[in-house]
Amino acid sequence: MAERPTTGWREGIEEEQRELAAGTLDPGCACMAELFPESLITATDSVLDAFEADLPSLQGSSDERVFAAVQRVVLALNTINDEHNGGAYETDEREQLCDYIDKALTEQGVDVVALTARHGLGRYQLTDRWRDW
């Protein structure tokens, strides 16, 4: 399964905590826990759990079913972003989430390039129709 962005966010927090404990990081430079509060990580993981649960049913599905799954995950992530002052997912996080969605679909046999091309979209426009973050 494609690696979730939240895995990297958690690892970054843990690394920062180790550096703080070792005295190798100035506390004024520590930002990971603030950028990725547990509420954000937990909510994002919950949405990704639901998306992953949908994935097996998408093999061989119609474009409409695949787009519906993408729409559900993106709208749910919009809600999380809004709940975190509209700025939880910044540029890096947006790219990580979009890449994760693409990879997760690809791993289930969805040809994302062909899917998006059939609808006049570039590969990296898969989430654009619904994405606010």
Side-chain angles (χ1 to χ4, degrees):
M1 177 51 68
E3 184 172 306
R4 291 178 177 195
T6 53
T7 300
W9 303 345
R10 279 193 172 94
E11 289 170 356
I13 292 168
E14 291 168 3
E15 176 63 24
E16 191 173 81
Q17 289 172 344
R18 285 191 294 275
E19 291 174 5
L20 286 168
T24 59
L25 179 66
D26 180 326
C29 294
C31 64
M32 292 297 290
E34 185 177 326
L35 288 174
F36 304 106
E38 187 58 36
S39 62
L40 172 67
I41 294 174
T42 300
T44 302
D45 271 337
S46 178
V47 167
L48 299 181
D49 285 343
F51 177 64
E52 288 177 7
D54 279 348
L55 290 174
S57 70
L58 298 178
Q59 290 179 339
S61 289
S62 67
D63 290 0
E64 291 73 24
R65 286 197 61 214
V66 175
F67 275 121
V70 172
Q71 180 181 13
R72 281 190 299 277
V73 70
V74 170
L75 293 178
L77 291 169
N78 286 348
T79 299
I80 293 167
N81 191 60
D82 291 344
E83 290 170 350
H84 287 83
N85 299 318
Y89 306 131
E90 297 193 15
T91 302
D92 286 343
E93 293 75 37
R94 288 190 292 267
E95 290 174 3
Q96 292 169 6
L97 288 163
C98 290
D99 188 52
Y100 166 79
I101 292 167
D102 184 303
K103 286 180 179 176
L105 289 168
T106 299
E107 288 176 0
Q108 290 298 316
V110 175
D111 185 341
V112 175
V113 173
L115 169 72
T116 53
R118 285 191 297 272
H119 296 272
L121 302 170
R123 177 182 196 149
Y124 300 108
Q125 294 176 310
L126 177 65
T127 62
D128 288 359
R129 186 180 318 165
W130 307 284
R131 186 166 53 86
D132 293 335
W133 32 272

